[in-house]
């Protein structure tokens, strides 16, 4: 009996040590505007945060042009507060907003150095960015800046005021629907059904965008949008989350969730592996995305 108890205790101790040895991941998502990362990565970010990993969102502009009735410093201040509120709603560690003007972002050396410093300071294991082909020039240029930073993270004489990374992170693209020069590749797919309401609350924190600016750009009469919180969240969920996964997303899910009936999945976020930075194996992807299904 004593031997059995000892064996059980050793198993428990070993399991505890294994759990303690699991690496805490540092994830940095970089967008052009406050709310870019939330819409494309908010669900997966919430899952990472719930698992105890460190997630940061970085907006390369202050969003001071994205509205029909306000702008400049007033709008920038509002959007910076919205970003903080979104971070709280999603449970992520930080949401930083740089003070570059909305609509005027260029992939300059200074912006590249800002990005390199942020990646290094966060000691990022995973960096997410936008593809450099998009309808918005800020999105395109934000994507180019992240690409330009991908290798330079490990070069000591670039931005020498911050220590270079000893290893390059995995760089991923967040999703888009553009077809040229080539369609977005769904290399990694994450089911976010369990945190979809969290994602909606994170988006709703960007009040000026979700309930004013973006509906207005699509011809919606913003006076018809509910003002009561519960109805507002329901409206946003219906407006943004009513698109079921398409066939290619379901195929990607089958790879990463072989034991799940993916036909029942309602919400998914997909990512493309950038050719720059570390090229992960499937096993490494499973380690970096611990929410994925087991083999």
């Amino acid at each position: 009996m004593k031997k059995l108890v000892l064996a059980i205790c050793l198993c428990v101790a070993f399991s505890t040590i294994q759990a303690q040895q699991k690496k805490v991941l540092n994830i940095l998502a970089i967008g052009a505007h406050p709310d870019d990362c939330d819409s494309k990565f908010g669900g997966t970010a919430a899952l990472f945060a719930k698992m105890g990993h460190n997630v940061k969102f970085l907006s390369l502009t202050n969003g001071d042009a994205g509205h029909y009735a306000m702008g400049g410093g007033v709008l920038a201040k509002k959007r910076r507060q919205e970003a903080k509120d979104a971070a709280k709603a999603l449970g992520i560690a930080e949401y930083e907003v740089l003070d570059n003007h909305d609509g005027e972002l260029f992939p300059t050396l200074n912006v590249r150095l800002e990005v390199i410093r942020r990646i290094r300071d966060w000691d990022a294991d995973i960096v997410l960015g936008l593809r450099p082909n998009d309808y918005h020039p800020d999105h395109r240029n934000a994507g180019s800046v992240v690409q330009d930073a991908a290798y330079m993270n490990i070069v000591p004489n670039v931005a020498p005021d911050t220590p270079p990374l000893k290893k390059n992170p995995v760089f991923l693209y967040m999703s888009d629907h553009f077809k040229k020069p080539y369609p977005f590749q769904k290399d990694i797919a994450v089911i976010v059904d369990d945190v979809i309401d969290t994602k909606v609350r994170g988006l709703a924190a960007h009040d000026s965008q979700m309930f004013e600016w973006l509906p207005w750009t699509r011809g919606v009469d913003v006076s018809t949008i509910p003002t009561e919180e519960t109805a507002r969240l329901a409206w946003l969920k219906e407006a943004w989350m009513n698109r079921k996964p398409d066939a290619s997303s379901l195929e990607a899910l089958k790879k990463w969730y072989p034991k799940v009936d993916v036909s029942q999945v309602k919400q998914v976020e997909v990512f493309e592996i950038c050719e720059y930075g570390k090229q992960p194996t499937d096993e490494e992807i499973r380690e970096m995305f611990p929410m994925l299904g087991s083999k």
Side-chain angles (χ1 to χ4, degrees), residues 1-11:
M1 184 66 180
K2 289 182 179 179
K3 289 183 178 179
L4 176 61
V5 172
L6 179 60
I8 293 172
C9 290
L10 288 173
C11 287

Side-chain angles (χ1 to χ4, degrees), residues 70-89:
M70 69 179 99
V74 173
L75 181 57
K77 182 178 180 180
K78 178 174 177 58
R79 296 197 68 182
R80 187 169 276 109
Q81 183 59 53
E82 289 174 343
K84 291 180 180 179
D85 294 341
K88 185 177 180 180

Side-chain angles (χ1 to χ4, degrees), residues 210-226:
M210 298 299 121
F211 303 112
E212 297 171 9
W213 173 237
L214 293 177
W216 183 86
T217 63
R218 295 167 183 169
V220 175
D221 180 355
V222 296
S223 68
T224 64
I225 297 174

Side-chain angles (χ1 to χ4, degrees), residues 109 112-113 116-117 120 151-165:
L109 177 59
R112 184 198 306 168
L113 293 175
I116 290 171
R117 292 186 181 104
R120 288 175 174 177
Y151 172 72
M152 295 300 181
N153 291 300
I154 62 173
V155 181
N157 287 320
V158 174
D161 54 335
T162 53
L165 296 183

Side-chain angles (χ1 to χ4, degrees), residues 50-72:
K50 284 179 67 176
M51 292 178 171
H53 301 291
N54 302 318
V55 182
K56 174 178 177 176
F57 285 0
L58 174 65
S59 173
L60 299 187
T61 77
N62 59 19
D64 60 357
H67 206 273
Y68 55 86
M70 69 179 99

Side-chain angles (χ1 to χ4, degrees), residues 215-290:
W216 183 86
T217 63
R218 295 167 183 169
V220 175
D221 180 355
V222 296
S223 68
T224 64
I225 297 174
T227 56
E228 190 272 327
E229 183 179 5
T230 302
R232 210 165 167 79
L233 290 172
W235 179 90
L236 183 60
K237 187 174 183 179
E238 173 62 24
W240 280 76
M241 306 296 160
N242 63 354
R243 296 181 291 274
K244 293 183 178 181
D246 60 15
S248 59
S249 296
L250 293 178
E251 281 302 310
L253 285 175
K254 289 177 183 177
K255 174 180 179 179
W256 299 109
Y257 297 86
K259 298 179 182 179
V260 173
D261 179 3
V262 299
S263 66
Q264 302 303 308
V265 173
K266 296 180 179 179
Q267 300 293 335
V268 60
E269 291 178 346
V270 289
F271 310 98
E272 178 181 335
I273 300 171
C274 176
E275 291 181 302
Y276 312 140
K278 177 180 172 60
Q279 298 301 290
T281 63
D282 285 357
E283 191 59 38
E284 287 171 328
I285 290 171
R286 289 190 182 279
E287 291 176 0
M288 289 184 157
F289 283 77

